[in-house]
Structure formats: C-alpha cells, structure tokens
Amino acid sequence: MLWTANRIIRKFSTSSTYYQNKLKLALIGQSLFGQEVYTNLRQQGHKVVGVFTVPDKDGKADPLAVAAEKDGTPVFKFPRWRVKGKPIPEVVEAYKAVGAELNVMPFCSQFIPMNVIDHPKHGSIIYHPSLLPKHRGASAINWTLIEGDKKAGFSIFWADDGLDTGPILLQRECAVEPNDTVDTLYNRFLFPEGIKAMVESVQLIADGKAPKIPQPEEGASYEGIQKKSNAKANMGQPAEAIHNWIRGHDKVPGAWAVIDGQVVTLYGSSLLSGSAPSGQPVEVEGASQPGLITNSGLVLFGTDGKALQVKNLQFEDGKMIPAAKYFSSGESASVELTEEERKMAEEIRGIWKGILSNVPAIEETTDFFKSGAASMDVVRLVEEIKQKCGGVELQNEDVYMATTFQDFIQMFVRRLRGEDQEEELVIDYATKDVNNMSLKMPYQCFVNGRFEDAENGKTYDTVNPTDGSVICKVAYASVADVDRAVSAAKEAFENGPWGKMNPRDRGRLLYNLADLMEQHQEELATIEAIDSGAVYTLALKTHVGMSIQTFRYFAGWCDKIQGTTIPINQARPNRNLTFTKKEPLGVCAIVIPWNYPLMMLAWKSAACLAAGNTLVLKPAQVTPLTALKFAELTVKAGIPKGVINILPGSGGLVGQRLSDHPDIRKLGFTGSTPIGKQIMKSCAVSNLKKVSLELGGKSPLIIFSDCDMDKAVRMGMSSVFFNKGENCIAAGRLFVEESIHDEYISRVVAEIKKMKIGDPIDRSTDHGPQNHKAHLDKLVEYCEIGVKEGATLVYGGRQVDRPGYFMEPTVFTNVEDHMFIAKEESFGPIMVVSKFKDGDVDGVLSRANDTEFGLASGVFTRDINKAMYVSERLEAGTVFVNTYNKTDVAAPFGGFKQSGFGKDLGEEALHEYLRTKAVTVEY
C-alpha cells in the first residue's frame, strides 16, 4: 500500500513540474476544433488573453467564440485582417493590445499578416492536417485519400506567410484504412489527436523544448482545392484508384461520372471484396465494363476486374437518391393530399419559410439547398417537423433525397401514411453446410430494421475455434454506425409505434419472437457451436433453450409492470392522491460477452424490451453470428424498425461510443471487471447514465466431508468444466475438507479421463474448444504460473495436440491462498483445489470470502444447519447448496463487490430498465 501511495505522489510531482511553465496566448481560428484546443489549454493553466475568430453567421457565433465569451475571455470577430494584401492598422493594433506571448492557430481560414504572425515573443504555431511537406494547402486530407497514401497525419509548424512551409514543431501519423473517408480520418485521428498535440506543442514552447525542424523541399507538394469541373472520375483505372478519387472528393466537391448519358455525382464509396453481387447493368462512360445496380448500391468495376460500391447518387438538379433505387427513382406517382394533409403541408411550408427567410415565397419548385440552406438547417427542419407532426419517422437523409418543396411534401405524406415502411428485408447471407443443414447467417450491421455494411466498409473474420477456419467476414461497425443506431433507437422510442404500443401488444410481439427462436433453435444452436465452440447439445439446451425461456418469461411481464398508491398527509381542506408510475428509460445499450452469446443477449434485452425501451446491442467481437441471426428473427416477429439495433465490432470502439453517447440512458454490461470500471467511469462522465454490471468472479465452492460424495464429484466437475469452463459463475476455487480431499481428487481425475474432447457438433462430445486462440494461450500461461508457484498439477495443463483451440481439463491441488491461481479467475476448464482442516467452518469461510469478487458460491453438506450457516455468511450474489449452475429465468442473478451490481433475470431485472415517477394530485 505504501509503495502504491509513493508511486502516485511521484507521478503527481512529475506532472506538476512538467506543467509549471505557463504562457499568455492568443488563439486565432474557429470551429469546434478551435474550441476544444482553447478549452484544453485553459485547463492546463495557460492564460488565453484574446480569441480572434470569424464574425457571427446568420446570428450564430462560432463555437470558439461561444466558449470564450462564456469564460469572459476577450473575443474579437474581424471579417478580415488585410485589404489588398496590406494589414488593417486598427485590427493589428487591437491584436497587439492583448499582449500575447504566443499565437496558437488551431484552425484558421483567414490570411493573417506577418507582422501579427511574428509579433509575439514565441511567434505563432499552426495546425495542418497532413504530414508536411506533402499535401500543402487547404485540401490536404482530400489529397491524402485521392493519392492513396497509406499514412495520414498532421503537422504543427511554426507559421510562415501562409504557404505551409514553416519549420516543423511536431508531427503525428496514423494508418489510412481502405475505406476511410475525410470524415472518418478526421473524427478518428486528426481531430482528437490534433487537440492533444496542440496542447503538447504549447507546453513544449513554454518549457523551452520545442524544436524547429526545417521542411525539406524533397517530397513537397501543393494541390489546390478541387473544382467540380475537375472532379470527374477516370473510370479507366484500377478499382482502388477510382475508389480513392471518389472518397477523396466526398462530400465536397463530389466526384462525378456520366451514367446513361447524364452527369451523376457519386457518394459513399467502399471497396468490395469477393465476387460482385447480381444486379441490373447500367452504362458508365469510360468504364471497362457496365456498372451494376444492386440491392446495396451501384457497383463499379476497375480495369483490374476488381469492384467498388457507391451508396448514394446525386443528379444535376440536386436530387439525391440511394444508388440501389436508380431505376425506380422516377416511377412514384404523385399522391393526392387529404384536407388534413394539406393543412400539415401548409404548416411545413411555414417551417421552410422560417428557415429560408431570404426567399420571398416557398413555391412548389423551391429547392431547399439552392435557396441557401446548410447542414444545420437540415437538422432544424427535421426537428421542427417532428415537433409539429409526432409519429413521423424522418431522417436528415430524407431532406437530401427530396430537395424541392413538392418532392418533400410527397415524401412526407407517404411517410405519414406508412407507405414507405413496408420494405422487404434484404439480407446478404453467408452460407455454410454443417450439422446436416445449410446455415444462412447475416453478417452486416443491423440498424433501423435493415442489414447494412459498416459505414466505412470495414470487415473482420469470425473464426471457428474447432479448426481455426474462417466462417465468414463480418461488418466492423464504426462510431458513425453507433450514432446511426442510437438515432434510430431514439426515434423508435420517441415517435415510433413501440413507444405508443399497448403493453399487452408488446408482450405479444415478444412471444412471437420466442416462438420463432424455438422454430430456429437447431439452426441457432449450430451457429453457436461453430462460432463460440459450445457443445451442440449444451447449446441446444442452455445457450438457446434458456434464451427462449427468458423471452417468454419477460413477455409475460409486459402488462404487469405496476406502480403503487401511497398514503400521505392530507393538505386539508383539500385531499391528495399520490401514486408512482414505472416508466421505460429510453434508449439502452447492451454489451455482451463471448461465452454465452445468445443467452447473454436474451438475459439483458428481454427485460429491456419488456420494460418498453429500445436498444443498441454490441455482441462480442469474436461471436457475433447468433446475435445477427436473432436480428433477422426480430423482423419476422414484427418488432418495429429501430427498436433493436445490433452492431458487431470492437469493444474499444463501439462499446466506448455507447458508454459516451449522450442519448443513451442505460448501459448493461457483462464482461471483465477492468472493462466494467472503465464503462462505469465513461457513463458517469458522459451523461450519468444508469449502469448495471455483471463482472468477473472467483466463486468459492466448499465441500464438507459429510457431503453426498457422488453428487459432490459430479456437481463439482460441472461447476468448473461446464461450457468448457467459460462460465461466469464457474467455481474458481474448491475448498475440500481434509479427510475426504484425496478421495475427492482421485474420483474427479478418474471422471475427467472419461470425458470426450472433440468436435462440438458431435453429439457424444463432452468438451469442446475454447472460444478463441488468445484465450487458449492465456489458459496455458495460467497453468504455467500455477506450476511455477508450487501448486501440484495433477492432470492436464496443456493444449490438446489437435487442430483448433482445445485445452485439456486441468486439476491443481495444494493451492495456497497467496498464489496467483488462488486469486485470479481462469475462465477456463481449470479446477483449483485447496484443502481445509476438518471441522474448521469459520476458517474456510474466511478464506472463501477473502476475494474482491462475489458473483457466486456453493456448499456441499448433508447438515442443513451447516448449509444455512455457510450460505448466510458467503459474500456472493448467488449461493448454491448441494447443487451448482442452477439458474432459472425467474431467479435474480448478479454479483457483490467487484463482481458488479444490478440484476439479470427475475422481476428485479425489470427494475434495471425502469424509472419511478411519483405523481401527487390535489382534489
């Protein structure tokens, strides 16, 4: 403890020394980036003596100005610093008056005079989004993509006369992913890391440690901003070059091609892997072969025979459509409006007029964007219409697809009538013949009722642990996909039918879903077996069987969620009625582990949905397939779109964004304790969202000499080896009374030798492969540590000599309390056994409770008094007496201490997804 304290003190002292030098700064720039740099510099103790930014636009101040004005920092909004190349004297004098020691230019679109650049004691530093000297100029990110650079990055350099040729102070770089766009590069790296680097650079200057590295001329390039006329895509190139050109021009100015004789702008490009899907051919000028209009978009082919896919198309009149609807874009007949719809149309005309105040009148042909509207106006239009016309599902993208007033009203009325909602579910399956059936497995993100590729087009391999083979490629969701999914879930909760649905009807849909899961139980169990390594028979009974039971149980709760009436002191002569209401929270996030992929989904999402919430769920990266098959079944069950959204991918990316997202009101997580702590912290910092955590365990199992030995052996083995040890409540340490210890171990080893290790699809298999390679390697290392510490390895401890990720069932004895394997969870088929003295009940209880975990526990004894005494004193959320692993959908499940808090299953799980409102009425 003393060492830890000293380490913290040393770290604190080092930090305070590093930051002791502070500067007076002038910030010259704009945008959210400028605002974040400003805020972070102030937090580090630097004094910002003046902010110089752009004038307000349409009455709205720049974000940098807003932050500075709120803090009382002097703000100057000069429209320009020079006229005809010469500095404006009064502007320069106003700047000099603040007395800055350093100019910081995080994002500056204005030309700053050199007598301002050079004026401060330390000069000026500026941020540029490229690895200078390459890509000088305003289109640096675009050209990074257009030229197919494998690395992107930014430079912070000492400002010069505006040609980006000044000495380098600091540079950072990142890899460019195949389907990166300007937005993804900026959001993933250039924005967050750029802010940190600007702050670091200022501190280096303050400490006198900032370098000035001259830029070489070798490799220098300058490319001007592309004009629309120069943005035509050359189709006579390899697919990757065409893709780079399109993504480098997205969104401005937009790469274009001539398709069927008309100019069409291309947006949302991604490279295709494998063979192109079938589609309807379309003529593309200059292409080596015709393009294809498919269910997912426009497929274009390069001269190398490889393909790319374009998501959206925009025509010369400004109208944008999904590329998949190219051939149907002009086929919709006009709908005749009812009197009520005409009134709504006039209200919408008023909204348009309020936004387009510069337009004398909103005509049928008035174009929203050609009249001067910007992206913020799109948000305003959508939100104002939602306020006036609740229940209409409208997205920002809809405005881009219907830019004239008449087209917008037609789209709106169709949406109002629900004519656009009944779309056939399109699924691109991965197929595999296994277990005497042909599996059809969705592999894309499931957002707003549709299966779609990740926005950045990225995928990853999901692997069969039985032999290490790739099952299929799965979409690798991005932060943008999380935001889309949360937006869909929020819309479904606030304006969709789910939020207005009678609870009994909601229960009916969940019953439908359970029935469909039962109809597909063999298919689900087979997918679970090949994706997670679960033995098929266990997957059928537990992984899938309990999932079906869970949905049926909570379907029955939907119309039984009740508040209470509360007698209170009356305010005479009036009387009062006080009652409580149980209400859903809103959008909930669920993050589940890889050991029971479908069952963990069911345990959390069934309660969440029964309570009336909508959800965004992230399955474990290594086991996404049953969750995506489940998503398909939810559509067939009639669950409205947006209610359930499923995003496969990285926990560090998707899980973190779910923790941080301001529109999520609850996050349920099952996983490790360290990750649970990080999630809890992020949830608190973001918006104080509600959290429930089911975390790590080191569950003790105490076996007394008066036990039923046959049962204790059988159940003790199950407590460790069930689901090949990948079980959150697995008995992490067995305490066996000394007088029966040797017999117990002998009988356990004899039974282990009878276990069949092999293919989980084989009905006679007892023990399948571990979930993934990294976990198997950890288990082998765990055993090596146990041997080194002096524990006795009685059986196993090695990887099985066969293809796949198989671990031998393992037994350690003579495990002492201080050992690593006595304290840390293995999460695998490793039995850790310690003996205790005969009759020492309190002693073994003390040892069993000497852990920071408290998920489950167990005791075997025929003495009911002893059993009750021990169960009362074991510090765990679940205590098993003369049994183990006996969970039921009606019994609450959750841990104590660092095993987390909150409950899954049972009535208590509902309360995790509800809030209580008290209402008092005077009468």
Side-chain angles (χ1 to χ4, degrees), residues 382-492:
V382 170
E383 293 305 316
E384 285 197 38
I385 290 175
K386 283 181 181 178
Q387 278 188 332
K388 283 187 175 290
C389 312
V392 178
E393 296 183 18
L394 204 61
Q395 305 293 331
N396 295 351
E397 190 94 347
D398 295 326
V399 185
Y400 293 102
M401 300 296 183
T403 60
T404 65
F405 183 73
Q406 61 187 3
D407 288 345
F408 186 85
I409 292 300
Q410 289 286 310
M411 176 276 298
F412 173 82
V413 170
R414 286 192 174 93
R415 193 65 52 82
L416 188 68
R417 295 177 182 181
E419 293 176 8
D420 292 343
Q421 294 179 3
E422 295 300 323
E423 296 183 14
E424 182 182 353
L425 181 64
V426 178
I427 307 176
D428 290 336
Y429 290 109
T431 58
K432 197 170 187 68
D433 292 329
V434 62
N435 198 19
N436 298 317
M437 66 179 73
S438 181
L439 297 179
K440 297 174 67 177
M441 299 170 286
Y443 59 85
Q444 297 166 295
C445 299
F446 183 70
V447 178
N448 205 24
R450 295 179 180 177
F451 285 100
E452 300 175 342
D453 291 337
E455 186 168 283
N456 57 17
K458 290 179 68 174
T459 61
Y460 69 97
D461 295 336
T462 188
V463 173
N464 184 342
T466 301
D467 57 11
S469 64
V470 174
I471 301 170
C472 65
K473 289 188 176 296
V474 178
Y476 190 84
S478 66
V479 169
D481 295 309
V482 177
D483 292 344
R484 285 192 304 118
V486 173
S487 177
K490 185 179 181 185
E491 178 66 21

Side-chain angles (χ1 to χ4, degrees), residues 711-729:
K711 192 173 186 180
V713 169
R714 186 175 69 255
M715 289 290 184
M717 290 181 65
S718 175
S719 75
V720 176
F721 303 128
F722 187 82
N723 200 45
K724 6 94 176 199
E726 295 168 354
N727 189 20
C728 52
I729 58 172

Side-chain angles (χ1 to χ4, degrees), residues 767-780:
H767 188 79
Q770 304 309 135
N771 187 276
H772 52 280
K773 177 78 164 55
H775 183 53
L776 172 65
D777 292 343
K778 282 181 64 177
L779 294 177
V780 172

Side-chain angles (χ1 to χ4, degrees), residues 488-751:
K490 185 179 181 185
E491 178 66 21
F493 179 77
E494 294 179 350
N495 298 313
W498 189 255
K500 303 176 179 65
M501 190 176 292
N502 182 295
R504 199 159 294 169
D505 291 334
R506 189 164 65 240
R508 178 178 53 80
L509 293 181
L510 294 184
Y511 277 122
N512 289 348
L513 180 55
D515 291 344
L516 279 165
M517 292 171 70
E518 187 169 48
Q519 292 169 27
H520 290 264
Q521 60 184 330
E522 289 86 1
E523 187 176 9
L524 289 166
T526 304
I527 296 172
E528 201 89 324
I530 65 170
D531 204 23
S532 77
V535 171
Y536 174 75
T537 52
L538 177 65
L540 198 60
K541 177 183 182 295
T542 302
H543 290 234
V544 179
M546 194 173 189
S547 300
I548 296 166
Q549 293 177 28
T550 303
F551 271 99
R552 286 195 173 130
Y553 174 81
F554 283 107
W557 266 109
C558 289
D559 60 354
K560 301 173 186 67
I561 299 171
Q562 300 174 352
T564 57
T565 56
I566 303 170
I568 64 169
N569 287 339
Q570 303 296 334
R572 297 178 180 176
N574 297 315
R575 296 176 62 80
N576 300 97
L577 169 65
T578 295
F579 60 92
T580 60
K581 296 176 64 180
K582 296 288 186 180
E583 298 179 342
L585 301 171
V587 181
C588 298
I590 292 173
V591 180
I592 57 174
W594 43 257
N595 58 329
Y596 295 103
L598 186 64
M599 194 173 79
M600 291 295 98
L601 176 154
W603 279 24
K604 294 190 186 312
S605 62
C608 172
L609 295 168
N613 302 286
T614 58
L615 68 89
V616 180
L617 182 140
K618 194 203 87 65
Q621 184 171 341
V622 291
T623 54
L625 294 180
T626 44
L628 294 172
K629 189 66 182 180
F630 168 83
E632 178 187 350
L633 299 182
T634 67
V635 177
K636 293 180 179 178
I639 306 292
K641 67 179 184 179
V643 173
I644 297 170
N645 305 272
I646 296 180
L647 299 175
S650 159
L653 190 71
V654 176
Q656 186 62 53
R657 179 57 180 156
L658 291 172
S659 303
D660 293 336
H661 204 292
D663 289 334
I664 290 175
R665 296 299 169 192
K666 159 72 195 282
L667 191 145
F669 172 75
T670 295
S672 72
T673 296
I675 300 299
K677 290 178 179 180
Q678 178 60 42
I679 283 175
M680 189 174 177
K681 179 179 178 181
S682 298
C683 289
V685 171
S686 58
N687 63 342
L688 211 63
K689 57 176 64 71
K690 191 175 182 180
V691 184
S692 57
L693 303 172
E694 195 246 284
L695 306 177
K698 189 66 175 173
S699 301
L701 173 58
I702 304 172
I703 300 174
F704 288 99
S705 58
D706 60 356
C707 68
D708 178 333
M709 180 65 85
D710 290 339
K711 192 173 186 180
V713 169
R714 186 175 69 255
M715 289 290 184
M717 290 181 65
S718 175
S719 75
V720 176
F721 303 128
F722 187 82
N723 200 45
K724 6 94 176 199
E726 295 168 354
N727 189 20
C728 52
I729 58 172
R733 192 177 180 194
L734 276 66
F735 295 91
V736 181
E737 202 160 8
E738 195 169 36
S739 58
I740 63 167
H741 175 273
D742 293 348
E743 180 189 356
Y744 186 84
I745 297 300
S746 176
R747 292 184 60 172
V748 165
V749 171
E751 292 301 316

Side-chain angles (χ1 to χ4, degrees), residues 54-290:
V54 294
D56 297 354
K57 184 178 180 181
D58 298 327
K60 298 176 184 177
D62 183 83
L64 173 57
V66 171
E69 288 169 344
K70 184 179 179 181
D71 294 332
T73 302
V75 177
F76 304 85
K77 301 176 182 180
F78 299 134
R80 62 189 63 83
W81 292 69
R82 305 187 301 185
V83 175
K84 295 181 179 179
K86 294 184 178 181
I88 303 172
E90 55 268 32
V91 172
V92 174
E93 288 307 311
Y95 159 76
K96 289 181 177 180
V98 301
E101 297 173 312
L102 173 70
N103 292 334
V104 179
M105 303 164 74
F107 181 88
C108 184
S109 61
Q110 298 173 311
F111 288 102
I112 310 301
M114 286 306 295
N115 59 341
V116 171
I117 295 288
D118 295 336
H119 178 74
K121 171 184 175 182
H122 296 290
S124 302
I125 60 170
I126 189 167
Y127 170 94
H128 187 75
S130 81
L131 296 170
L132 292 172
K134 194 174 184 183
H135 304 314
R136 293 171 177 166
S139 302
I141 313 176
N142 306 73
W143 284 102
T144 297
L145 296 174
I146 291 168
E147 295 198 348
D149 293 353
K150 299 304 180 187
K151 290 188 180 295
F154 57 81
S155 304
I156 296 169
F157 68 100
W158 300 89
D160 56 358
D161 57 1
L163 298 177
D164 305 338
T165 57
I168 301 296
L169 191 160
L170 180 150
Q171 287 185 322
R172 296 281 187 269
E173 66 178 37
C174 70
V176 178
E177 300 294 337
N179 289 318
D180 263 332
T181 63
V182 172
D183 286 346
T184 60
L185 268 178
Y186 186 70
N187 294 331
R188 184 180 84 243
F189 185 79
L190 300 177
F191 182 90
E193 295 303 318
I195 293 164
K196 296 176 187 175
M198 285 297 283
V199 175
E200 181 182 344
S201 297
V202 170
Q203 194 59 55
L204 286 171
I205 294 169
D207 294 338
K209 299 177 182 178
K212 288 188 177 182
I213 305 167
Q215 285 194 45
E217 281 304 309
E218 184 180 354
S221 61
Y222 181 92
E223 305 91 356
I225 298 174
Q226 284 288 95
K227 295 181 180 178
K228 187 74 173 182
S229 58
N230 297 330
K232 183 178 181 181
N234 176 7
M235 295 296 169
Q237 303 181 88
E240 186 174 353
I242 301 171
H243 164 66
N244 288 339
W245 185 264
I246 296 171
R247 65 176 176 153
H249 288 80
D250 192 346
K251 302 276 196 249
V252 178
W256 56 276
V258 178
I259 299 176
D260 280 346
Q262 60 180 331
V263 173
V264 179
T265 305
L266 313 169
Y267 295 107
S269 175
S270 58
L271 289 170
L272 283 182
S273 57
S275 58
S278 59
Q280 192 169 348
V282 62
E283 194 63 35
V284 181
E285 185 180 281
S288 58
Q289 64 185 91

